[in-house]
């Protein structure tokens, strides 16, 4: 996406990807996908416990986590990047959550084992190595503090009424306020917690609100970048969008239902959901079912369906949307391959010269008699002297790109792991034969 300012603004500033452009064949079968904060890399959690990181400029693998046995012993269910792109959290069905330093990805930096498979894991404060984890058949979520020599685990609870809200299946962290945490349960409850610190204690958790939104499982909870919207994917075939209202002192919250997304004709369930960037103007969802191969895109202000992204030949599962490169990635259920939708920008050569005219096919051109005569050097120099002199700053970096993304966010460069990549290619060749 270089020289975006020279491209057609109507193509560059499209608000969502519109065409399938790439497919990544993963011989290890992808279970979950997650872009790095700047979109330079895409991490794939695999069914055999491996984690493969792809370079999104070349669309080739650049790093494989762990030793020859892989990052985990069983399927990787959840991946979370730190804001600087240097650390990675992975949660697996082998009952463990691992913290990886991508500067040396052969061994995990730290790890914690639970008594059941992991549902998902997310950063709360990456700078202080604090994350939230949900575990199979547990009625509470867990906070992990990796900053200590022995990682500390705390139970995320606070329901004074001790009502049975079922098992905690998923969690989400407020992107604007890291002290606000959402959890969704197997009995349709959304619980909102506040994480704060006291002088005599470290982290204290209290429950701000509990709201029953459905009668079935809550499969996903997502929060918009600005933190004013949340979306809840339930097993009752509905996606509910709520306005999130938080008081200035964070003492209370309100959730107001804005829209309810359904496929009233086919009665489809939804595998995964994701908001678009900043104002969360769009919501994208993957469909459940052998005959459903598309991604549905709704406008969040009106609740209307605006686009169906097509191109895949199988049911799609996990979704991630990166806003720097404007990519949407989703993995296929059967093949485990990753499909990537993006914006195709046609070359606009006229942007390089105002008098350049683009033509569809070659044309015969007759040169005018004096069209290319050389101008007298003195006259040419005089014109240059009369031209207005403009200082051009070649050192200062632009802070924002044409889409408003912050370009000054630091991004860690992952070293290439050539040995493990060759092993991955050998696995792919053996699979082809």
């Amino acid at each position: 996406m270089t020289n975006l300012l020279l491209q057609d603004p109507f193509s560059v500033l499209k608000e969502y990807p519109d065409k399938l452009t790439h497919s990544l064949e993963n011989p290890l079968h992808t279970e979950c996908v997650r872009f790095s904060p700047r979109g330079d890399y895409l991490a794939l959690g695999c069914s055999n416990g491996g984690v493969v990181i792809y370079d999104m400029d070349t669309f080739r693998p650049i790093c494989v986590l762990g030793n020859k046995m892989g990052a985990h012993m069983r399927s990787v269910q959840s991946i979370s990047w730190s804001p600087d792109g240097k650390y990675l959290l992975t949660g697996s069905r082998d009952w463990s959550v691992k913290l990886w330093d991508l500067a040396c990805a052969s061994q995990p930096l730290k790890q914690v084992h639970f008594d059941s498979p992991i549902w998902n894991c997310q950063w709360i404060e990456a700078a202080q190595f604090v994350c939230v984890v949900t575990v199979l058949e547990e009625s509470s979520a867990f906070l992990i503090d990796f900053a200590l020599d022995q990682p500390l685990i705390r139970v995320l609870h606070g329901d004074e009424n001790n009502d049975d809200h079922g098992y905690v299946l998923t969690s989400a962290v407020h992107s604007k306020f890291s002290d606000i945490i959402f959890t969704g349960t197997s009995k349709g409850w959304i619980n909102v917690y506040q994480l704060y610190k006291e002088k005599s204690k470290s982290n204290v958790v209290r429950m701000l609100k509990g709201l029953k939104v459905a009668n079935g499982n809550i499969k996903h909870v997502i929060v918009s970048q600005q933190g004013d919207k949340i979306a809840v994917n339930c097993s009752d075939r509905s996606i509910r969008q709520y306005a999130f209202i938080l008081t200035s002192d964070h003492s209370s919250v309100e959730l107001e239902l804005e829209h309810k997304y359904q496929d009233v004709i086919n009665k489809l369930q939804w595998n995964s959901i994701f908001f678009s960037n900043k104002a969360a103007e769009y919501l994208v969802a993957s469909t459940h079912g052998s005959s459903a191969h598309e991604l549905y895109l709704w406008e969040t202000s009106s609740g209307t369906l605006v686009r169906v992204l097509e191109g895949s030949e199988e049911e799609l599962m996990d979704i991630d949307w990166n806003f720097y490169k404007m990519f949407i990635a989703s993995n296929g259920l059967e093949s485990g391959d990753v499909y990537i939708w993006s914006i195709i920008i046609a070359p606009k050569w006229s942007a390089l010269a105002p008098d350049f005219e683009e033509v569809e096919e070659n044309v015969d051109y007759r040169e005018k008699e004096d069209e290319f005569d050389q101008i007298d050097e003195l006259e040419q120099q005089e014109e240059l002297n009369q031209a207005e002199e403009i200082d051009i700053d070649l050192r200062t970096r632009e802070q924002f790109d044409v889409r408003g993304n912050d370009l000054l966010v630091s991004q860690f460069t992952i070293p290439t792991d050539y040995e493990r990549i060759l092993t991955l290619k050998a696995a792919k060749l053996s699979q082809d034969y």
Side-chain angles (χ1 to χ4, degrees), residues 253-270:
V253 298
E254 292 296 333
L255 297 175
E256 296 181 358
L257 182 63
E258 291 183 328
H259 299 293
K260 191 175 180 180
Y261 306 100
Q262 293 176 310
D263 186 333
V264 295
I265 298 176
N266 300 316
K267 302 294 184 181
L268 294 174
Q269 287 203 37
W270 311 100

Side-chain angles (χ1 to χ4, degrees), residues 160-306:
E160 299 178 353
N161 297 324
N162 294 321
D163 293 334
D164 182 13
H165 291 181
Y167 299 134
V168 175
L169 301 182
T170 186
S171 64
V173 179
H174 200 296
S175 58
K176 191 174 181 180
F177 304 106
S178 60
D179 61 333
I180 301 298
I181 303 171
F182 299 87
T183 63
T185 73
S186 60
K187 292 190 176 182
W189 283 85
I190 290 291
N191 297 323
V192 186
Y193 299 91
Q194 182 188 16
L195 177 66
Y196 63 99
K197 295 183 178 181
E198 291 184 349
K199 294 181 180 179
S200 59
K201 301 179 181 180
S202 53
N203 292 327
V204 181
V205 179
R206 65 172 177 174
M207 186 174 182
L208 296 180
K209 189 176 185 63
L211 178 65
K212 187 175 178 61
V213 300
N215 292 321
N217 294 338
I218 292 182
K219 301 161 68 174
H220 297 93
V221 179
I222 58 173
V223 189
S224 64
Q225 283 191 342
Q226 291 186 349
D228 57 344
K229 294 184 178 69
I230 71 167
V232 183
N233 179 21
C234 304
S235 60
D236 62 358
R237 309 175 190 271
S238 299
I239 302 172
R240 294 166 174 83
Q241 176 185 313
Y242 290 87
F244 177 67
I245 304 172
L246 178 67
T247 58
S248 58
D249 59 354
H250 296 196
S251 60
S252 64
V253 298
E254 292 296 333
L255 297 175
E256 296 181 358
L257 182 63
E258 291 183 328
H259 299 293
K260 191 175 180 180
Y261 306 100
Q262 293 176 310
D263 186 333
V264 295
I265 298 176
N266 300 316
K267 302 294 184 181
L268 294 174
Q269 287 203 37
W270 311 100
N271 287 329
S272 184
I273 57 176
F274 208 89
F275 273 127
S276 66
N277 63 334
K278 294 187 177 178
E281 296 176 349
Y282 299 95
L283 176 72
V284 61
S286 58
T287 55
H288 172 75
S290 59
S291 61
H293 304 156
E294 300 89 9
L295 297 180
Y296 281 58
L297 194 71
W298 292 278
E299 188 175 12
T300 57
S301 60
S302 61
T304 56
L305 181 67
V306 295

Side-chain angles (χ1 to χ4, degrees), residues 22-126:
H22 299 87
S23 296
L24 306 180
E25 296 183 3
N26 181 15
L28 305 182
H29 197 284
T30 307
E31 293 291 333
C32 60
V33 295
R34 195 65 62 219
F35 281 108
S36 64
R38 284 286 300 270
D40 298 327
Y41 306 105
L42 176 66
L44 312 182
C46 307
S47 60
N48 72 333
V51 176
V52 184
I53 299 178
Y54 277 73
D55 183 355
M56 295 311 293
D57 289 328
T58 62
F59 296 96
R60 294 291 185 270
I62 192 175
C63 180
V64 181
L65 299 189
N67 52 28
K68 293 183 179 180
M69 297 298 294
H72 292 269
M73 299 302 295
R74 295 184 180 179
S75 173
V76 178
Q77 296 298 109
S78 179
I79 295 176
S80 182
W81 291 80
S82 64
D84 60 358
K86 185 179 181 181
Y87 298 98
L88 206 65
L89 278 176
T90 58
S92 169
R93 289 184 179 178
D94 65 0
W95 305 6
S96 66
V97 175
K98 296 185 180 182
L99 170 64
W100 302 86
D101 184 351
L102 297 181
C104 182
S106 59
Q107 294 293 334
L109 192 62
K110 292 183 180 180
Q111 56 184 315
V112 174
H113 290 274
F114 289 87
D115 296 330
S116 298
I118 307 301
W119 278 115
N120 71 345
C121 56
Q122 280 190 313
W123 288 107
I124 297 178
E125 296 178 3

